[in-house]
């Protein structure tokens, strides 16, 4: 079996007051990005009358707020059964409190200050009607313990990979990274390939993207600008991936491949995904945490 060890993370050591001072700024950005994405996806739904599922009425997001008893909460935005989107969730949350004693050691700074933490972010997973249109995952977040950092990324998950579209996707991500630091793309794409790997099947979940964590360069504004750019450019990057393939007809065999691929996606999210583990171990909203699971899937 090929070894896919994750790049050794470098936990932030700077107890930067900037992260505490700018919590409200981060919260406002994640909410604004959610609104932009939902509006874009609903507009794409409206323009999908010529697709294979164009006979369906265009779907709309339903928003469901939730509260966390220990502190904070969030809002789910879920759209299902559409012309393009079989299921897509765009969730935002801000939670705070203390980590359980058993979980503190797993988070940088979690063992200090009696396990106090604060976390805010946006998480998106899209499962498409068409097997030709890739599923996608995007997440960006800011976390504060006795130190602070940003994390997140975008990764593409096509049931029927297209080499040309994969290259276009990576070129667009590289352009985003290079605007901030030429070292980001090679480091973050390598981390993505390693992170989204299923060791029990010896396969990578998708065709890659970028993934980063523990980002604290001692310049909060620069780190926040990069995190914003990742989220902001998700919209045109994925819009192109959708429109490039949305009108292609598909067969039952291709649908079968899509459903089996979704089984692989579900295995990863349930067994290995750190966001899933974080949400469950901090008593988050279970429906929001498991929003990433596809509506239908198959296993061989």
């Amino acid at each position: 079996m090929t070894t896919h060890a994750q790049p050794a993370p470098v936990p932030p050591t700077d107890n930067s007051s900037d992260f505490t001072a700018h919590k409200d700024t981060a919260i406002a950005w994640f909410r604004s990005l959610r609104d932009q994405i939902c509006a874009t996806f609903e507009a794409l739904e409206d323009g999908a009358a010529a697709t294979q599922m164009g006979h369906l009425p265009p779907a709309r997001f339903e928003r469901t707020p939730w509260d966390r008893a220990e502190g904070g909460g969030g809002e789910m935005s879920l759209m299902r059964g559409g012309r393009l989107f079989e299921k897509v969730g765009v969730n935002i949350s801000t939670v705070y409190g203390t980590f359980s004693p058993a979980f503190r050691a797993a988070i940088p700074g979690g063992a200090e200050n009696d396990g106090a933490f604060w976390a805010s972010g946006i998480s998106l997973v899209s499962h498409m009607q068409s097997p030709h249109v890739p599923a996608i995952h995007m997440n960006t977040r800011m976390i504060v313990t006795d130190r602070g950092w940003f994390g997140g990324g975008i990764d593409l998950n096509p049931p029927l990979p297209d080499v040309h579209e994969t290259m276009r996707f990576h070129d667009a991500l590289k352009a985003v990274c290079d605007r901030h630091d030429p070292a980001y793309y090679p480091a973050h794409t390598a981390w993505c390939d390693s992170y989204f790997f299923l060791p029990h099947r010896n396969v990578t979940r998708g065709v890659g993207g970028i993934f980063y964590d523990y980002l604290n360069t001692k310049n909060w504004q620069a780190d926040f600008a990069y995190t914003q750019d990742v989220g902001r450019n998700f919209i045109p990057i994925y819009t192109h991936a959708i429109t490039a393939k949305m009108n292609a007809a598909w067969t039952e065999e291709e649908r079968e491949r899509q459903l089996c691929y979704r089984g692989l996606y579900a295995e990863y999210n349930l067994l290995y995904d750190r966001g899933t583990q974080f949400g469950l171990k901090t008593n988050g909203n279970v429906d929001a945490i498991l929003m990433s699971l596809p509506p239908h899937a198959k296993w061989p």
Side-chain angles (χ1 to χ4, degrees):
M1 177 178 288
T2 303
T3 300
H4 278 247
Q6 291 185 31
V10 181
T13 57
D14 177 42
N15 183 15
S16 173
S17 61
D18 283 344
F19 282 88
T20 299
H22 291 296
K23 286 178 179 178
D24 288 345
T25 301
I27 292 171
W29 163 249
F30 295 132
R31 181 173 293 275
S32 171
L33 180 60
R34 185 277 309 273
D35 293 343
Q36 294 174 54
I37 291 170
C38 289
T40 299
F41 284 1
E42 288 185 349
L44 287 167
E45 269 285 298
D46 289 342
T51 65
Q52 193 160 327
M53 304 299 287
H55 58 282
L56 296 174
R60 285 295 179 267
F61 281 98
E62 295 182 4
R63 292 186 176 175
T64 306
W66 58 272
D67 293 318
R68 179 176 174 272
E70 296 89 340
E75 190 170 51
M76 296 175 57
S77 295
L78 194 61
M79 182 163 66
R80 289 182 277 199
R83 297 166 169 177
L84 286 174
F85 298 93
E86 190 169 3
K87 178 186 178 185
V88 55
V90 191
N91 294 346
I92 54 172
S93 65
T94 299
V95 297
Y96 49 86
T98 57
F99 291 127
S100 67
F103 191 51
R104 291 175 187 178
I107 304 295
E112 286 73 38
N113 298 330
D114 297 321
F117 78 95
W118 179 96
S120 185
I122 181 171
S123 181
L124 177 151
V125 175
S126 179
H127 297 288
M128 308 303 291
Q129 293 280 15
S130 170
H132 294 286
V133 179
I136 203 164
H137 162 254
M138 186 276 291
N139 168 269
T140 56
R141 59 195 174 273
M142 186 175 100
I143 298 179
V144 182
T145 56
D146 77 326
R147 59 204 76 177
W149 66 91
F150 288 100
I154 305 173
D155 62 285
L156 197 67
N157 297 269
L160 306 172
D162 179 313
V163 172
H164 175 76
E165 290 301 322
T166 298
M167 290 178 60
R168 181 187 288 270
F169 171 74
H170 277 275
D171 286 346
L173 287 180
K174 184 177 185 301
V176 173
C177 293
D178 287 352
R179 285 197 289 271
H180 299 269
D181 188 326
Y184 280 174
Y185 178 76
H188 296 170
T189 195
W191 201 342
C192 181
D193 289 342
S194 180
Y195 179 68
F196 292 107
F197 181 76
L198 289 84
H200 66 285
R201 294 196 182 275
N202 195 27
V203 295
T204 302
R205 188 179 75 175
V207 296
I210 57 171
F211 178 86
Y212 64 100
D213 208 356
Y214 310 127
L215 180 64
N216 179 347
T217 65
K218 312 295 177 25
N219 184 336
W220 187 90
Q221 295 290 352
D223 297 343
F224 183 50
Y226 175 57
T227 297
Q228 285 181 296
D229 220 9
V230 170
R232 186 181 298 113
N233 281 277
F234 164 80
I235 297 174
I237 289 172
Y238 194 42
T239 295
H240 174 85
I242 291 172
T243 57
K245 298 283 187 175
M246 61 187 275
N247 291 315
W250 67 84
T251 66
E252 286 301 315
E253 179 184 0
E254 290 168 335
R255 172 66 170 173
E256 188 76 7
R257 289 175 62 183
Q258 179 191 44
L259 294 176
C260 290
Y261 178 81
R262 286 177 175 178
L264 191 73
Y265 193 98
E267 287 179 17
Y268 178 85
N269 281 31
L270 291 173
L271 292 173
Y272 305 113
D273 186 74
R274 286 164 50 185
T276 301
Q277 296 301 314
F278 184 93
L280 293 174
K281 292 182 179 180
T282 55
N283 297 321
N285 181 284
V286 173
D287 291 333
I289 296 164
L290 299 181
M291 167 273 295
S292 62
L293 296 180
H296 304 283
K298 284 188 176 182
W299 281 262

